[in-house]
Amino acid sequence: MLIISPYFPPVNTADMQRVRMSLPYFEANGWQAEVVAVDPAYTDLPQDKLMVESIPAGTKIHLIKALGKKWTSKLGFGSISYRSWWFFRQKVNRLLKEGNFDLIYFSTTQFQVCTLGAYWKKKFNVPYVIDMQDPWHSEYYRDKPKEQQPPKYWLSYRLNKYLEPKAMNTVGGLISVSENYIEILRDRYPRLKNIPAETITFGAFEPDIKIAAEHAGEFAALLDPAFKNIVYIGRGGMDMYNAIMPVFEALKLGLAAEPDEYAQLKLFFIGTSYAPNGQGSATILPLAKERGIEKYVVEITGRIGYYHTLQTLQQADGLFIPGSDDPQYTASKIFPYLLTHKPLMAVFNAKSSAIAILNEFGVKDTYSYDETPGLLSKIDSFFKLILNGGAGTPEYSADAEKKYSAQMMTKRQCDLFNKVIFTS
């Protein structure tokens, strides 16, 4: 199998995590994997060198070049997918000529490179699978105000609408983190109803906890030991306001009712912007300022390393995961939180798959912001639990831990790969 993953360790991005966590288990499931990725020198994203420790020794990794971002971004094509497209084509052409590959696996949110799957299928008759970690062409932002739309939305919307069918017309199989993504694609492209498709979340990768602990002394301390710290690490954005606002309202009410007690709380939101460190705009702190509680809320827009993230979660008194107002928003980021076995509260859209998974694990403080009666009171109870130090270590379902392990998620991927090569 040839895996196409433009970003790869030590580059620290969310969309390469599935590949990273699956590589140790592919061979046990009958698949040998090689990876084609862009050389980190051609990216400007944060790097986490510790991630390399989780890659199995001997893994074949083919690094390619990419066009410089300085000029291509001025034309609206600064994405690594556009800058590396030609180099992926050239490199994989050579690999497919020289090697005996049974499958090509695109696991990335840099979806534009997936159009090469159709080209390689026609040229070499090698089937390909696409991992839909996010929507590619999406209607979500069409009715949103301009300030809520992603940068260069006008161009990207039209390009994605044109490019997505190029890849979907001959794809051999689909993996998705959300059943909803598959349903939308099947409605859009009826042929997809006849190919293998599976909803497979990211898995919980236990070795990461060990790596983080071994390097604990290397990470800067971000939390305030004088307070009870409740922590969220991940992107921010207006689509999370519905999940965050009731938490801020509950804190405001608590401060008004019992100021001395609730003044011991501090809520941290870390890594909320995708912009380079120092250039990100706060999206969470303005909500706190509107409610007059900004003294108890810290937003750090700059991203931190993955293992720094795990260690910071371990140091927290409690954890909080807000979900998007997009019902398609998936559960992938919940697993690092679950691995820490820290007291956890999650607030999601009622239709998010995260709620069902958290319930399987037995996370008690799992709520939907639009359907949970007495939500502010329930959030307040979580605050009191943290303030009183009585939360303890949560015990999760052993069956759920096994079901959602990276090892089991990799087996499910390989089962789909087998179906694809036998049906193509």
Side-chain angles (χ1 to χ4, degrees):
M1 172 172 57
L2 201 57
I3 299 176
I4 309 299
S5 178
Y7 293 123
F8 194 72
V11 179
N12 179 19
T13 62
D15 68 339
M16 62 79 201
Q17 297 288 5
R18 169 136 34 216
V19 172
R20 183 183 71 85
M21 296 177 185
S22 300
L23 281 170
Y25 309 113
F26 279 134
E27 194 162 346
N29 287 284
W31 284 87
Q32 292 182 336
E34 298 183 20
V35 179
V36 187
V38 176
D39 190 310
Y42 294 91
T43 75
D44 58 359
L45 294 182
Q47 297 187 23
D48 190 340
K49 296 187 185 301
L50 296 182
M51 281 190 168
V52 178
E53 293 188 15
S54 67
I55 305 300
T59 302
K60 285 189 179 181
I61 303 167
H62 308 275
L63 298 179
I64 63 168
K65 298 179 180 179
L67 296 174
K69 191 174 182 179
K70 180 179 180 181
W71 301 109
T72 56
S73 59
K74 293 181 180 180
L75 301 173
F77 296 95
S79 164
I80 195 70
S81 57
Y82 294 117
R83 295 191 291 117
S84 63
W85 190 93
W86 178 257
F87 298 95
F88 269 114
R89 172 174 158 148
Q90 296 300 93
K91 179 63 176 179
V92 175
N93 277 352
R94 290 194 294 271
L95 291 172
L96 293 177
K97 285 178 183 177
E98 298 167 0
N100 183 25
F101 291 95
D102 300 294
L103 184 75
I104 298 170
Y105 182 28
F106 293 90
S107 188
T108 177
T109 55
Q110 301 299 313
F111 290 117
Q112 292 77 16
V113 299
C114 298
T115 59
L116 286 166
Y119 166 74
W120 290 322
K121 177 72 166 64
K122 183 177 180 180
K123 187 177 180 67
F124 298 100
N125 197 32
V126 177
Y128 61 98
V129 170
I130 297 178
D131 176 14
M132 299 298 298
Q133 300 181 24
D134 279 326
W136 183 348
H137 170 59
S138 172
E139 301 290 334
Y140 175 74
Y141 290 102
R142 288 215 58 191
D143 60 352
K144 298 291 187 292
K146 188 173 182 179
E147 63 270 14
Q148 293 185 30
Q149 294 176 348
K152 302 174 183 174
Y153 175 71
W154 186 92
L155 177 62
S156 63
Y157 174 85
R158 285 155 180 80
L159 282 172
N160 291 339
K161 187 175 183 179
Y162 171 75
L163 293 174
E164 185 183 77
K166 301 288 185 185
M168 294 300 161
N169 286 340
T170 54
V171 67
L174 291 174
I175 289 173
S176 176
V177 295
S178 167
E179 180 66 29
N180 191 255
Y181 296 172
I182 293 176
E183 291 174 357
I184 289 172
L185 289 171
R186 282 175 166 168
D187 287 342
R188 198 176 286 165
Y189 312 102
R191 72 166 291 271
L192 299 184
K193 295 175 182 178
N194 301 316
I195 68 169
E198 287 286 342
T199 302
I200 306 174
T201 66
F202 285 21
F205 191 56
E206 286 282 355
D208 281 339
I209 296 296
K210 180 181 178 182
I211 294 172
E214 289 173 347
H215 296 272
E218 303 172 20
F219 307 125
L222 299 177
L223 308 184
D224 191 334
F227 291 82
K228 295 287 187 178
N229 299 291
I230 298 176
V231 177
Y232 164 70
I233 303 179
R235 73 164 183 87
M238 294 181 182
D239 63 314
M240 292 184 172
Y241 281 9
N242 285 337
I244 294 172
M245 282 192 293
V247 175
F248 284 179
E249 289 292 342
L251 178 57
K252 181 179 178 180
L253 291 172
L255 286 165
E258 301 175 73
D260 291 341
E261 184 177 8
Y262 280 79
Q264 299 174 54
L265 281 177
K266 189 160 282 192
L267 276 58
F268 281 80
F269 296 81
I270 302 170
T272 56
S273 174
Y274 288 126
N277 284 353
Q279 300 179 30
S281 298
T283 56
I284 308 301
L285 193 59
L287 273 184
K289 288 180 178 178
E290 288 176 7
R291 285 153 183 79
I293 59 170
E294 66 271 22
K295 181 179 176 182
Y296 307 97
V297 175
V298 176
E299 180 175 7
I300 301 172
T301 60
R303 297 178 67 196
I304 62 176
Y306 181 71
Y307 295 101
H308 193 179
T309 293
L310 289 178
Q311 192 61 23
T312 303
L313 295 177
Q314 290 276 24
Q315 294 166 347
D317 297 289
L319 306 178
F320 168 51
I321 312 178
S324 170
D325 59 15
D326 182 355
Q328 299 178 34
Y329 191 73
T330 59
S332 298
K333 72 178 179 183
I334 69 176
F335 294 108
Y337 289 78
L338 291 167
L339 282 172
T340 66
H341 284 265
K342 284 285 183 173
L344 171 63
M345 177 175 66
V347 181
F348 280 81
N349 183 299
K351 296 180 181 178
S352 172
S353 60
I355 290 179
I357 294 174
L358 288 165
N359 286 337
E360 279 190 68
F361 273 83
V363 178
K364 296 178 181 178
D365 293 292
T366 301
Y367 308 118
S368 63
Y369 59 74
D370 45 357
E371 290 187 1
T372 301
L375 179 57
L376 295 186
S377 176
K378 289 178 168 123
I379 293 170
D380 184 66
S381 295
F382 180 77
F383 286 160
K384 281 189 165 63
L385 201 65
I386 301 301
L387 285 167
N388 295 331
T393 301
E395 291 186 10
Y396 297 137
S397 162
D399 289 340
E401 289 182 331
K402 180 179 179 181
K403 176 180 176 180
Y404 291 102
S405 67
Q407 188 171 5
M408 187 59 68
M409 296 297 104
T410 306
K411 181 184 184 304
R412 292 184 60 197
Q413 291 173 71
C414 292
D415 289 345
L416 180 130
F417 299 156
N418 294 336
K419 292 178 184 177
V420 170
I421 61 171
F422 288 124
T423 59
S424 296

